[in-house]
Amino acid sequence: MQLEIQGLSKTYPNGVEALVDVTLTVPTGMFGLLGPNGAGKSTLMRTVATLQDADRGSVTFGDLDVLRQHQEVRQILGYLPQEFGVYPKVSAVAMLDHIATLKGITQRRERREVVGALLQRVNLYQHRKKALSGFSGGMKQRFGIAQALLGKPQLLIVDEPTAGLDPGERNRFYNLLAEIGEHVVVILSTHIVQDVKELCTQMAIIHEGRVLQQGMPQDAEDELAGKVWRKSIDKGELETYRERFQILSTKLVAGRPLIHVFHESDPQDGFHAVQPDLEDVFFSKIMQVA
Ligand code: ADP
């Protein structure tokens, strides 16, 4: 089963072109939709999740026409929105039980089994009786995944799930997603390059509503080979380098800026070749349209 997005466009009433002729093929596995804030990721996620309409284009999932067959799509969809409003003072188990009822699991015994298994799976079983309001950011996200997985979705959409998680929580969340991605189509929207690097077999880079790159992260890195160069410079030199080079990134290493620049050939001048990583890919793509 795969998700096919063809020529999808959306302009908001205020004139913002949030999606411009977006075409993507999303196969089974983890698909990373990488883009800076405002790129159009949530608009795309909400459209695929049947929560808002597009102006033009088509979205199909197997035989389903996603833009028209809303009810059918919702049967096979799991969605973790960017802002998941969890209810304070309700326990995790009670909340999941309630959502399970809404999703049509009417038998109490079945619900108990399904909810228990999900809580185990997201490693919250020992916290099941605690109020959601007391959950940490990571626990809330894992709860969010549990609710999205109710009803065994074939298509799972997670919008910016790792923002605000500490490194340990992020890792636990990665492991959980990686496991799920073995069986279903998972679209992970994020502005965090590391999310895609660690998890995704396929990805797209989106910026200002347009798809700038699509394919395997490794291929995108290989494409850039020989064109990324690094140099450690003095803080005071940064502006001069900005004028002379296309700087992809600036990081402080031991208090000194380490810059990565995009250059078709060796810029000389003390630069060293770098094996490009996904962050270089991301910034080089975005820079090219800036
Ligand atoms: P992302 O999820 O990548 O941050 P969004 O899809 O939220 O991007 O937003 C894409 C663009 O559309 C942004 O410029 C945003 O300000 C604009 N936008 C999003 N939602 C609306 C809306 N309901 N009305 C008007 N503009 C919107």
Side-chain angles (χ1 to χ4, degrees):
M1 199 80 110
Q2 60 184 27
L3 184 76
E4 295 274 0
I5 300 169
Q6 276 286 342
L8 202 67
S9 296
K10 171 74 183 179
T11 302
Y12 285 111
N14 62 359
V16 172
E17 290 185 292
L19 299 175
V20 185
D21 200 17
V22 167
T23 295
L24 289 174
T25 299
V26 185
T28 298
M30 293 286 307
F31 186 95
L33 184 70
L34 181 63
N37 287 330
K41 303 183 295 298
S42 291
T43 302
L44 183 57
M45 301 294 88
R46 285 196 304 263
T47 309
V48 175
T50 74
L51 298 173
Q52 77 178 55
D53 293 327
D55 299 331
R56 268 187 312 285
S58 69
V59 182
T60 56
F61 185 65
D63 293 337
L64 286 180
D65 179 341
V66 173
L67 300 184
R68 287 184 186 82
Q69 296 175 275
H70 287 184
Q71 282 313 324
E72 290 87 340
V73 172
R74 285 172 196 165
Q75 303 274 321
I76 52 97
L77 174 79
Y79 179 48
L80 176 58
Q82 202 168 346
E83 304 270 324
F84 180 63
V86 281
Y87 302 136
K89 293 192 185 142
V90 177
S91 75
V93 70
M95 187 68 188
L96 275 186
D97 186 76
H98 175 64
I99 300 171
T101 309
L102 295 180
K103 288 207 178 177
I105 309 176
T106 48
Q107 298 288 324
R108 210 165 144 215
R109 224 179 93 192
E110 187 191 353
R111 272 205 313 276
R112 199 182 307 149
E113 273 170 25
V114 169
V115 165
L118 271 177
L119 285 165
Q120 296 273 14
R121 183 155 182 207
V122 300
N123 212 1
L124 286 176
Y125 193 77
Q126 69 276 35
H127 303 295
R128 67 192 180 283
K129 292 181 182 158
K130 277 192 199 155
L132 292 166
S133 53
F135 275 17
S136 71
M139 287 161 75
K140 277 182 182 159
Q141 286 306 70
R142 281 184 280 136
F143 176 82
I145 283 291
Q147 66 77 29
L149 286 176
L150 270 171
K152 293 208 178 85
Q154 292 167 272
L155 173 62
L156 183 67
I157 296 177
V158 281
D159 199 354
E160 300 267 1
T162 66
L165 300 191
D166 69 36
E169 287 180 327
R170 182 169 293 180
N171 255 330
R172 275 194 289 279
F173 194 69
Y174 281 165
N175 287 330
L176 177 62
L177 279 182
E179 206 184 289
I180 295 163
E182 286 172 18
H183 311 290
V184 296
V185 175
V186 183
I187 311 180
L188 167 81
S189 114
T190 184
H191 65 274
I192 300 168
V193 176
Q194 193 200 350
D195 289 353
V196 178
K197 192 161 31 184
E198 300 223 0
L199 283 175
C200 300
T201 39
Q202 295 279 327
M203 65 147 194
I205 294 175
I206 175 172
H207 181 46
E208 294 176 348
R210 290 175 170 84
V211 176
L212 304 181
Q213 164 95 31
Q214 184 177 178
M216 284 167 36
Q218 183 67 52
D219 290 347
E221 290 174 9
D222 292 348
E223 232 174 74
L224 202 59
K227 295 176 185 169
V228 183
W229 308 84
R230 71 172 160 82
K231 186 177 181 183
S232 171
I233 60 171
D234 289 333
K235 265 188 195 145
E237 296 176 311
L238 199 52
E239 274 319 300
T240 325
Y241 276 88
R242 267 194 212 293
E243 282 161 23
R244 288 175 56 208
F245 294 101
Q246 294 182 293
I247 296 188
L248 295 174
S249 64
T250 308
K251 274 185 196 134
L252 282 182
V253 176
R256 278 169 66 82
L258 177 74
I259 57 171
H260 277 198
V261 305
F262 177 84
H263 208 269
E264 291 286 346
S265 58
D266 188 350
Q268 309 283 331
D269 198 20
F271 277 94
H272 297 277
V274 178
Q275 184 71 38
D277 65 13
L278 204 52
E279 202 169 279
D280 296 315
V281 171
F282 180 52
F283 289 118
S284 72
K285 291 291 166 190
I286 284 170
M287 199 182 65
Q288 279 164 31
V289 290

